[in-house]
Amino acid sequence: MALDNKIPQGPISSKWTDYKDHIKLVNPANKRNIDVIIVGTGLAGGSAAATLAELGYNVKAFCYQDSPRRAHSIAAQGGINAAKNYSGDGDSIYRLFYDTVKGGDYRAREANVHRLAEVSVNIIDQCVAQGVPLAREYGGLLDNRSFGGTQVSRTFYAKGQTGQQLLLGAYSAMNRQIGRGKIKMYNRHEMLDLVIVNGKARGIIARNLVTGEIERHSAHAVVIATGGYGNVFFLSTNAMGSNVTAAWKAHKRGAYFANPCYTQIHPTCIPVTGDHQSKLTLMSESLRNDGRIWVPKKLEDAQAIREGKLKPTQIAEEDRDYYLERRYPSFGNLVPRDVASRAAKERCDAGFGVNATGEAVYLDFAAAIERYGKEQARIHNLDENDAKLVYDLGQKVVENKYGNLFQMYYKIVDEDPYKTPMMIYPAVHYTMGGVWVDYNLMTTVEGCYCIGEANFSDHGANRLGASALMQGLADGYFVLPYTIGDYLADDIRTGHISTDLPEFVEAENNVRSMIDHFMNNKGTHSVDYFHKKLGKIMWNKVGMARNEKGLNEAMDEIAALREDFYKNVKVSGIAESFNQELEKALRVADFLELGELFAKDALHREESCGGHFREEHQSAEGEAERDDENFSYVAAWEYKGNPREAVLHKEPLVYENIKMVTRSYK
Amino acid sequence: MNLTLKIWRQKNAKDKGQMVDYKIGGIEPDMSFLEMLDVLNNELVEKGDDPVAFDHDCREGICGMCSLFINGEAHGPDRGVTTCQLHMRKFKDGDTIYIEPFRAKAFPVIKDLVVDRSSFDRIQHAGGFVSVNTSGNTQDANALPIRKDNADKAFDAATCIGCGACVASCKNSSAMLFVSAKVSQFALLPQGRVEATERVLNMVEAMDNEGFGNCTNTGACEVECPKGISLENIARMNREYLSASIK
């Protein structure tokens, strides 16, 4: 099947407006006869559910958590971009569009990104109208701050809890519709298969996680909004339950999966301490505004620190290597996430890591504390040579800016980051790859849509900060509600779809046989045992830097691990009840397939771009080398029964408005 | 560390339930409390036993999913943290730790340590929102200036994560802190004022219908709240309720 991205004709700035002017509409009376299933209720799914219900459709929303308020969007810290130009510093829709395309290393679709920049403006208006308490200045107007990769202040925020407040906004909009009876909410439910009738997505099979009951749900369209698949690495910043299952089941039923190897590694996470660890905690990127990143210059100092014989504060200034400032003088500590992450790995691989495992670098606030302290001393006419006074004043300023993050670090690591530099290391954070969608956000399965992080569309090979929340809400509040109407207009006479159709029976049997297999398997190891093994393969061979040999090995090892998993996994308890082990088994089964496709995608892409770094394709200075001539396309994979046999389809990326240039941060 | 765990086991809502003892070794001070339970569960699964069910998700203190009554306190002995942020360095080698679900009539047990907190959602359905169309024809966000101190107070109230520690800590199983946080957030913002009267009446009625108890100003909720939601919110809700009732 040829990939038709359905991008409208015409100049970039009017594509979306013209498109909206010409799509088919559904009469309000007819909307009442149309059902839409939405799987996942984070920023994308929650905003879509609320808006489609507002428009008059009957919405059935599903989430695996006990309440939509707990979706992992809630954990986003930094902020949300919008081209409002409230700061008057020259921001515009075009600039947001440009920064996002460039930040994505020219591997995103121009038309989608421009639309995202356009609707970003409405998102802020919408959220404020809902009572989302975004940060304000004393004059009562909204405050902005700047973020990495841009030169303007366009990031709106709510302290370090922007995701929480935006999610609660979408949740409140959902609550209003649930109260009105327009959304039927299925908490603690998980989608385990997609049902296709006559080529169209017409329903899902879900498991009630409390009773274990397998349920059939029909609708005229199905929307997947289940977030990213970073947990394929076992350790990531994702919530423990975040999984790929719904997206993967859609893939197995015909939806192409695009660019799985594009994964963002975030540079500032709290490092791993041991094998017991279940999850990684992110420290907001905003810390890099004031923190300086370094490791010791001398190998013997690094070793002494690892052995606990030396403290970082004992290393003299001239014996510290501020490697980002050294390598990238013009961007320094504020280089984009992919660049900062690789640079940290390079130093640690060379033996300069500073924690017991050798996988950590310092993020040091001493200079900032002193700088702010002196400034405060001058402002208040105090003695700027009094070191203690300067320290206290400076600490206060840093505390006001980042206090909650410093406290979080202290709780986890048990070390005071004001007194000794924080230790950080890169961790898996966000997945730019996902289910392939056209301009309408429809997958290659008719009537099956995919929005937010679960799709591939807007961030290219790398994602800039404060853009994930933007895409989730843009898709849910402002894009899908238009594009899905165009499709559903043909369904006004379809009527209710019966769940007795043979396709539902087949899908249900498919789910049941999978569950039966796990429950009756007399294996020896827990699900986590296999998941951790998968994570190690992924991190070591498909992680921040990849090469041909490692990727080939990874594909073989994952395939072998998958076989072992089906033979030797042990799931206790009973299926017809609340059973968290069974939930995990069903999710890890899908990660074991996705992981192999991920490696296959990374293997075929013979270039380095954004979050994908192939060691064979780097400059003499270790910088990524992109190959626009041969790889300027979206890699969309078609399922053929085994990840290894997936077939590649290419969607060429055409840049008509932005010239492709090498990203340089020197 | 070697520990003795006394954990509440209950097969389902109808089962009677009981405390069961477990011995566990090899626990590191760097582990979180939930990672310690992961270690226990891994041992149980590999032995063929049913692992202990407990709720958790983000494991960074923001989703509100984790619960647990640990040694008689919601989210355990540390202040201002959720259970996922509680670390084993807060315990000593040889300790006996009691682990129970959040107990309240309005929070029925699903299994072991997992309770059903959907009553919180139903209270929100009754009025935890501003009635605004979500399809994007709202006025410009800066057309409505909001005093910074009100915006900040609204934000502080809005940081409630809905974990239910307030209910579990209250001798009356009252949900007043939770409900008042949402009432306050909207009462402090001009967008929320329009429906303030109906909101407070409807949400309080929904709270009562769910079987939560009343507030007797004991203040345990504020002490155990991992997000430091203030009792001031309850006072504000009471004022809102009183003025709404006499209108």
Side-chain angles (χ1 to χ4, degrees):
Chain A
M1 189 171 75
L3 283 174
D4 179 3
N5 60 24
K6 307 234 173 76
I7 293 174
Q9 296 301 309
I12 191 96
S13 56
S14 56
K15 278 182 199 288
W16 177 234
T17 311
D18 286 350
Y19 171 88
K20 283 194 289 182
D21 287 345
H22 294 97
I23 52 173
K24 284 178 271 184
L25 297 176
V26 183
N27 170 312
N30 288 331
K31 284 182 184 141
R32 289 196 284 272
N33 301 323
I34 291 180
D35 306 321
V36 180
I37 284 174
I38 297 179
V39 187
T41 52
L43 284 180
S47 56
T51 308
L52 293 180
E54 178 90 58
L55 289 171
Y57 298 105
N58 305 313
V59 174
K60 292 177 167 186
F62 294 79
C63 71
Y64 73 76
Q65 298 92 345
D66 70 332
S67 163
R69 69 172 296 139
R70 312 217 196 274
H72 193 56
S73 308
I74 206 161
Q77 296 169 352
I80 179 166
N81 285 337
K84 280 284 206 182
N85 196 28
Y86 281 164
S87 311
D89 53 4
D91 198 12
S92 65
I93 286 170
Y94 182 84
R95 277 188 200 278
L96 177 51
F97 160 62
Y98 174 84
D99 287 343
T100 309
V101 170
K102 179 193 170 200
D105 222 348
Y106 305 93
R107 290 292 177 266
R109 232 190 239 151
E110 274 194 344
N112 283 57
V113 179
H114 198 279
R115 176 173 68 188
L116 177 69
E118 284 174 57
V119 304
S120 70
V121 178
N122 304 50
I123 294 173
I124 303 303
D125 298 341
Q126 181 68 52
C127 294
V128 166
Q130 286 168 348
V132 172
L134 292 168
R136 295 204 173 243
E137 294 171 342
Y138 281 98
L141 303 180
L142 290 159
D143 194 13
N144 292 110
R145 62 185 174 195
S146 59
F147 242 64
T150 62
Q151 291 168 305
V152 291
S153 276
R154 63 160 71 104
T155 307
F156 294 78
Y157 66 101
K159 286 196 182 156
Q161 289 146 327
T162 317
Q164 180 191 27
Q165 294 312 319
L166 296 175
L167 180 74
L168 292 180
Y171 166 72
S172 73
M174 282 183 80
N175 284 332
R176 177 165 162 257
Q177 301 300 336
I178 295 170
R180 291 175 64 203
K182 287 305 292 179
I183 297 178
K184 182 139 176 43
M185 188 64 223
Y186 294 85
N187 299 333
R188 291 198 197 265
H189 273 67
E190 186 149 23
M191 167 179 159
L192 294 177
D193 208 351
L194 178 69
V195 181
I196 297 177
V197 181
N198 295 330
K200 291 180 175 179
R202 291 302 197 188
I204 64 169
I205 305 297
R207 181 168 179 269
N208 178 329
L209 301 180
V210 176
T211 62
E213 222 171 311
I214 307 298
E215 303 172 358
R216 303 177 193 175
H217 294 274
S218 69
H220 298 88
V222 175
V223 181
I224 312 275
T226 48
Y229 48 83
N231 273 341
V232 66
F233 287 86
F234 186 73
L235 285 183
S236 82
T237 63
N238 288 4
M240 297 290 286
S242 295
N243 65 81
V244 77
T245 290
W248 195 252
K249 298 304 190 206
H251 173 57
K252 290 176 95 163
R253 292 281 179 187
Y256 292 3
F257 207 95
N259 302 334
C261 80
Y262 289 167
T263 302
Q264 181 170 76
I265 313 282
H266 197 290
T268 55
C269 291
I270 299 179
V272 176
T273 56
D275 270 345
H276 60 267
Q277 197 143 350
S278 59
K279 132 111 205 167
L280 297 172
T281 301
L282 184 85
M283 303 301 287
S284 169
E285 183 176 16
S286 62
L287 291 173
R288 286 196 284 145
N289 279 308
D290 281 313
R292 296 180 74 194
I293 295 175
W294 64 275
V295 291
K297 256 186 199 157
K298 299 183 199 153
L299 274 172
E300 59 267 31
D301 284 352
Q303 194 175 347
I305 287 177
R306 284 199 293 272
E307 288 165 0
K309 291 176 190 156
L310 210 57
K311 288 196 163 63
T313 43
Q314 293 170 298
I315 307 281
E317 191 63 23
E318 61 271 21
D319 292 330
R320 300 176 177 195
D321 176 14
Y322 296 93
Y323 58 88
L324 287 176
E325 298 168 32
R326 167 169 61 80
R327 284 176 64 174
Y328 308 99
S330 63
F331 276 71
N333 294 298
L334 277 173
V335 289
R337 294 174 178 181
D338 56 329
V339 178
S341 297
R342 275 197 297 277
K345 180 179 190 300
E346 189 275 330
R347 283 294 80 190
C348 291
D349 287 352
F352 295 94
V354 294
N355 69 348
T357 62
E359 289 190 323
V361 299
Y362 287 126
L363 177 62
D364 196 336
F365 288 83
I369 289 174
E370 190 178 335
R371 176 163 43 87
Y372 285 127
K374 288 203 163 165
E375 186 182 279
Q376 288 298 310
R378 281 195 292 275
I379 290 170
H380 297 102
N381 216 6
L382 300 166
D383 179 10
E384 63 178 279
N385 296 315
D386 180 342
K388 165 114 185 33
L389 175 81
V390 166
Y391 178 86
D392 289 345
L393 291 170
Q395 191 200 348
K396 202 93 211 135
V397 175
V398 170
E399 194 181 330
N400 279 334
K401 292 180 88 160
Y402 311 112
N404 60 336
L405 298 168
F406 275 55
Q407 196 216 4
M408 189 162 82
Y409 181 88
Y410 175 67
K411 290 279 181 197
I412 293 174
V413 183
D414 203 27
E415 252 182 19
D416 182 355
Y418 292 104
K419 301 228 155 57
T420 175
M422 282 185 190
M423 287 180 291
I424 52 160
Y425 197 67
V428 173
H429 183 49
Y430 185 95
T431 50
M432 283 78 68
V435 180
W436 186 90
V437 290
D438 62 19
Y439 188 72
N440 299 327
L441 306 179
M442 198 200 280
T443 70
T444 45
V445 172
E446 228 184 310
C448 178
Y449 290 77
C450 189
I451 60 176
E453 189 182 351
N455 77 24
F456 87 104
S457 63
D458 293 357
H459 306 299
N462 175 48
R463 185 180 65 79
L464 292 180
S467 64
L469 305 185
M470 183 170 61
Q471 192 209 340
L473 290 180
D475 285 359
Y477 282 137
F478 304 121
V479 180
L480 183 77
Y482 284 96
T483 62
I484 203 170
D486 190 46
Y487 172 78
L488 292 172
D490 292 333
D491 258 321
I492 53 173
R493 287 185 193 84
T494 306
H496 178 72
I497 293 157
S498 165
T499 53
D500 295 332
L501 292 167
E503 289 85 351
F504 278 92
V505 178
E506 186 267 328
E508 183 182 322
N509 289 341
N510 180 37
V511 168
R512 284 189 187 280
S513 69
M514 187 83 166
I515 291 172
D516 286 347
H517 173 83
F518 287 127
M519 297 314 301
N520 297 321
N521 204 40
K522 301 280 177 273
T524 43
H525 293 297
S526 68
V527 178
D528 278 356
Y529 167 89
F530 293 97
H531 196 177
K532 283 183 181 179
K533 280 196 157 188
L534 173 66
K536 286 228 165 83
I537 301 171
M538 293 298 295
W539 183 247
N540 291 333
K541 295 181 175 169
V542 201
M544 263 193 285
R546 303 142 183 190
N547 59 51
E548 187 184 347
K549 182 170 167 284
L551 289 169
N552 274 314
E553 287 167 4
M555 285 177 68
D556 290 342
E557 288 169 22
I558 295 168
L561 183 65
R562 192 166 62 233
E563 201 174 310
D564 190 27
F565 170 77
Y566 279 98
K567 262 192 214 139
N568 291 319
V569 74
K570 184 172 204 159
V571 176
S572 43
I574 45 171
E576 296 76 23
S577 74
F578 190 77
N579 188 334
Q580 293 170 317
E581 283 298 300
L582 177 61
E583 290 173 29
K584 280 195 279 186
L586 293 163
R587 293 167 189 163
V588 170
D590 293 327
F591 280 131
L592 282 163
E593 293 184 356
L594 165 81
E596 194 178 337
L597 184 69
F598 190 130
K600 184 183 164 89
D601 185 47
L603 183 63
H604 109 280
R605 189 167 281 279
E606 291 273 0
E607 65 162 348
S608 293
C609 61
H612 168 63
F613 189 78
R614 278 290 296 271
E615 287 168 353
E616 299 91 334
H617 302 283
Q618 56 179 311
S619 68
E621 296 88 45
E623 304 301 332
E625 280 185 339
R626 218 171 58 213
D627 179 355
D628 292 336
E629 204 168 313
N630 295 304
F631 289 94
S632 186
Y633 60 77
V634 176
W637 298 93
E638 182 184 1
Y639 183 77
K640 287 287 182 190
N642 186 326
R644 191 167 296 240
E645 271 114 51
V647 171
L648 176 64
H649 298 264
K650 297 177 184 176
E651 181 202 337
L653 289 167
V654 184
Y655 290 89
E656 291 169 337
N657 299 278
I658 294 177
K659 194 168 163 285
M660 294 168 94
V661 293
T662 306
R663 280 199 311 161
S664 171
Y665 299 93
K666 295 267 178 196
Chain B
M1 278 194 258
N2 292 305
L3 302 165
T4 303
L5 305 175
K6 291 180 176 290
I7 303 180
W8 184 259
R9 302 299 310 256
Q10 184 173 343
K11 283 198 180 75
N12 51 51
K14 292 191 187 103
D15 183 42
K16 204 161 148 258
Q18 58 172 331
M19 298 298 282
V20 177
D21 290 8
Y22 297 92
K23 295 267 181 218
I24 187 167
I27 299 302
E28 308 283 335
D30 283 345
M31 289 181 184
S32 73
F33 198 84
L34 299 184
E35 285 166 352
M36 182 274 292
L37 289 178
D38 290 343
V39 173
L40 173 72
N41 275 347
N42 211 51
E43 283 176 15
L44 292 176
V45 171
E46 300 208 341
K47 269 198 295 188
D49 293 342
D50 199 19
V52 179
F54 61 94
D55 260 332
H56 64 92
D57 202 16
C58 79
R59 294 209 177 181
E60 50 186 274
I62 191 75
C63 78
M65 189 120 170
C66 64
S67 48
L68 304 190
F69 216 56
I70 301 162
N71 287 343
E73 285 185 272
H75 298 299
D78 205 1
R79 287 282 87 83
V81 296
T82 53
T83 303
C84 64
Q85 296 171 303
L86 174 67
H87 282 73
M88 295 313 292
R89 64 179 79 94
K90 298 284 167 192
F91 299 89
K92 291 192 301 288
D93 188 32
D95 272 0
T96 297
I97 306 174
Y98 288 81
I99 312 173
E100 296 167 83
F102 279 3
R103 294 182 196 279
K105 189 176 138 207
F107 287 171
V109 171
I110 291 176
K111 184 180 178 183
D112 298 339
L113 305 168
V114 176
V115 298
D116 179 354
R117 286 169 283 187
S118 55
S119 47
F120 271 15
D121 281 330
R122 289 189 292 272
I123 297 171
Q124 301 286 345
H125 301 162
F129 48 79
V130 174
S131 295
V132 59
N133 189 315
T134 56
S135 33
N137 294 308
T138 43
Q139 65 178 349
D140 184 89
N142 261 351
L144 187 68
I146 300 173
R147 285 172 58 100
K148 182 171 161 51
D149 50 354
N150 277 355
D152 286 352
K153 270 190 213 157
F155 173 82
D156 289 343
T159 56
C160 167
I161 57 173
C163 65
C166 47
V167 173
S169 317
C170 176
K171 61 181 181 184
N172 308 322
S173 298
S174 165
M176 291 278 265
L177 195 68
F178 168 78
V179 180
S180 69
K182 195 45 85 179
V183 167
S184 287
Q185 179 195 341
F186 291 134
L188 285 159
L189 296 172
Q191 306 92 306
R193 282 292 350 154
V194 185
E195 299 166 282
T197 308
E198 285 167 32
R199 176 180 304 111
V200 69
L201 293 175
N202 291 343
M203 288 182 80
V204 168
E205 188 190 348
M207 172 179 81
D208 291 343
N209 290 343
E210 291 291 342
F212 291 102
N214 258 316
C215 174
T216 49
N217 294 316
T218 315
C221 53
E222 187 186 45
V223 176
E224 299 292 350
C225 174
K227 296 296 155 185
I229 302 293
S230 159
L231 278 179
E232 277 174 39
N233 291 304
I234 296 184
R236 187 176 294 109
M237 180 170 85
N238 285 337
R239 285 199 298 278
E240 290 283 325
Y241 186 80
L242 193 65
S243 68
S245 320
I246 55 176
K247 260 180 197 162

